[in-house]
Amino acid sequence: MDNVAEVGVEDDLKIVSRIREMVKFVRKPKAKKQYIALRESEKDKDKDRHLRLPLDVSTRWNSTLPMLRGAYEARHHLKRYAATYGTTAFKKNLLKDSEWEDVSRLISFLVPLEQATNDCSASRCPTFHLGKQCLSILHDHIKVK
C-alpha cells in the first residue's frame, strides 16, 4: 500500500513538506509556548482539540494523515500565529487558501487508505480474507480520483 499512497501524495509533496516545516517550527519550545498561548487566548476554545500538532514519521506513510488533519483543522490558528509571531521562515511555508483546499482533497484521498491499512493490519484474528475486499475498494477509490 505504500506505493499507492506515494502516487496519491506525489503531486502534493511540496505542500506536505511545507506543512511538516510549520509543524516542526511550532513544536520548538519558544514557538510552542507562543502557539499554545495564542490558542488558549481565543474565545471559542475547542476543548476537545489537542493544542499540539502531530508530526509525521518518515518511515510510516499513515502518520502523514494525522499531521495533515491537525494542520488543516488548525489552519486559521497557524495563519494567526504567522501574523502575530511568525518568522520569515515560518511565513514562507504558510499555505494559501487554495493550497488548504488541496490539503482537504489529499485528506479525503488518504482516509480510505488509512481505513484499509487498519482493517488489514495485525489484530487478534486473521485478516488475510480482507485483502481482496480492501484492494477492490481501494481500486474503485483511486479510479474515481
Side-chain angles (χ1 to χ4, degrees), residues 45 49 51-52 54 67-68 78 80 82 85 103 114 121 131 134:
K45 283 190 229 176
R49 299 283 177 216
L51 295 177
R52 185 175 181 198
M67 180 184 73
L68 294 176
L78 291 168
R80 202 167 12 261
Y85 303 108
V103 171
E114 177 190 47
S121 292
C134 285

Side-chain angles (χ1 to χ4, degrees), residues 35 39 46-54 73-74:
Y35 179 74
R39 294 279 309 259
D46 191 350
K47 295 180 183 181
D48 295 334
R49 299 283 177 216
H50 298 286
L51 295 177
R52 185 175 181 198
L53 293 172
E73 290 173 3

Side-chain angles (χ1 to χ4, degrees), residues 24-81:
K24 285 179 2 186
F25 186 90
V26 297
R27 289 171 62 118
K28 292 178 182 177
K30 181 180 177 184
K32 184 178 176 179
K33 285 181 185 177
Q34 294 170 334
Y35 179 74
I36 289 174
L38 183 90
R39 294 279 309 259
E40 288 178 340
S41 69
E42 295 173 356
K43 294 177 186 174
D44 59 340
K45 283 190 229 176
D46 191 350
K47 295 180 183 181
D48 295 334
R49 299 283 177 216
H50 298 286
L51 295 177
R52 185 175 181 198
L53 293 172
L55 182 62
D56 67 342
V57 179
S58 63
T59 56
R60 296 196 53 178
W61 78 264
N62 58 348
S63 68
T64 303
L65 182 55
M67 180 184 73
L68 294 176
R69 276 184 179 145
Y72 184 77
E73 290 173 3
R75 65 191 181 281
H76 303 296
H77 306 295
L78 291 168
K79 190 174 185 178
R80 202 167 12 261
Y81 177 85

